[in-house]
Amino acid sequence: VEKQPELACVLCFDVKVDEEAKKLAAKTGVKIFTADIIYHLFDQFTKHMDDFRQKQREANAGLAVFPCVLKIMPTCIFNKKDPIVIGVNVVEGIVKVGTPLVIPNKGNLVVGKIIGIENNNKPVDRAKKGTDVAISIQADTTSIMYGRQFDHTDTLYSQLSRASINALKEFFKEDLQKDDWKLVIKLKKMFDII
């Protein structure tokens, strides 16, 4: 029950569960599923596991950083200081709201965190490779400014860490394609993540 609480289940097909067993299950954190039709029992357990996975994803969404490489479009600079609002092309990966951005060729200069993404003037929570979007960046410090510390000649990268890669592997594996995992490996080497 302690290591994998989602698996602390008893599946009861076409049997009656007595009250004492129900009380013990409730006390120990074991979930009891009952059904007279085997498919209904299967559906209950599947829904239970899907709900558990979704809760885990939501709980770890802030920790997982999706890999992305962004090229700044020089003709789409809307605000140069906090919040920095610029147009970018998603060269590789998936850009999401909450992604921390860095510039590796400037000593891993931390630009800030994406607080908003717009595609065709509509807010979205993510954009994939090949898409042009406007992003709002909450600057890491008040001194970070487009045109001063960085400009359109710099490429923005998502700032991965060991913890964010682990969260991707455990909770968001199905959200990434093969090319996205190759980008994770590339960024892992770039940021010397062991």
Side-chain angles (χ1 to χ4, degrees):
V1 175
E2 293 171 10
K3 288 188 178 183
Q4 291 183 299
E6 75 278 13
L7 296 178
C9 301
V10 176
L11 306 180
C12 302
F13 170 59
D14 200 21
V15 295
K16 184 172 167 71
V17 179
D18 72 12
E19 289 303 313
E20 195 173 314
K22 287 180 184 177
K23 287 177 185 175
L24 181 62
K27 184 179 177 182
T28 58
V30 174
K31 192 154 177 85
I32 297 177
F33 297 99
T34 61
D36 295 335
I37 299 172
I38 192 77
Y39 300 110
H40 292 175
L41 193 59
F42 174 78
D43 291 344
Q44 289 176 33
F45 182 70
T46 302
K47 182 180 179 335
H48 165 73
M49 292 303 291
D50 289 345
D51 291 347
F52 180 80
R53 277 194 278 290
Q54 185 58 34
K55 286 177 186 169
Q56 290 290 88
R57 286 170 58 95
E58 290 168 7
N60 289 282
L63 183 58
V65 175
F66 283 62
C68 69
V69 178
L70 308 174
K71 183 71 182 141
I72 301 169
M73 297 186 290
T75 57
C76 299
I77 309 305
F78 305 108
N79 196 34
K80 294 183 177 186
K81 54 186 176 178
D82 199 20
I84 300 165
V85 182
I86 55 177
V88 296
N89 174 265
V90 183
V91 179
E92 292 183 77
I94 302 168
V95 63
K96 289 185 66 174
V97 171
T99 301
L101 298 174
V102 297
I103 302 173
N105 67 346
K106 292 200 170 175
N108 286 333
L109 172 70
V110 178
V111 177
K113 187 180 279 192
I114 297 175
I115 56 172
I117 303 173
E118 283 191 10
N119 188 353
N120 293 323
N121 296 319
K122 292 181 182 137
V124 294
D125 69 331
R126 68 175 64 194
K128 294 185 176 187
K129 178 180 177 177
T131 310
D132 292 340
V133 293
I135 59 172
S136 298
I137 305 167
Q138 181 178 10
D140 190 52
T141 66
T142 55
S143 64
I144 297 286
M145 190 169 133
Y146 178 87
R148 188 172 290 165
Q149 285 80 14
F150 72 103
D151 60 28
H152 70 278
T153 60
D154 296 306
T155 302
L156 301 170
Y157 292 82
S158 57
Q159 185 180 30
L160 298 185
S161 66
R162 171 47 52 203
S164 66
I165 293 171
N166 290 345
L168 284 176
K169 286 179 183 177
E170 189 168 346
F171 305 109
F172 299 92
K173 188 180 283 188
E174 64 277 357
D175 292 359
L176 299 173
Q177 303 296 317
K178 189 175 184 178
D179 287 343
D180 300 322
W181 286 112
K182 287 180 182 177
L183 181 56
V184 168
I185 293 167
K186 177 180 162 184
L187 295 179
K188 189 174 156 185
K189 290 176 185 171
M190 183 182 289
F191 297 125
D192 293 323
I193 298 170
I194 297 173

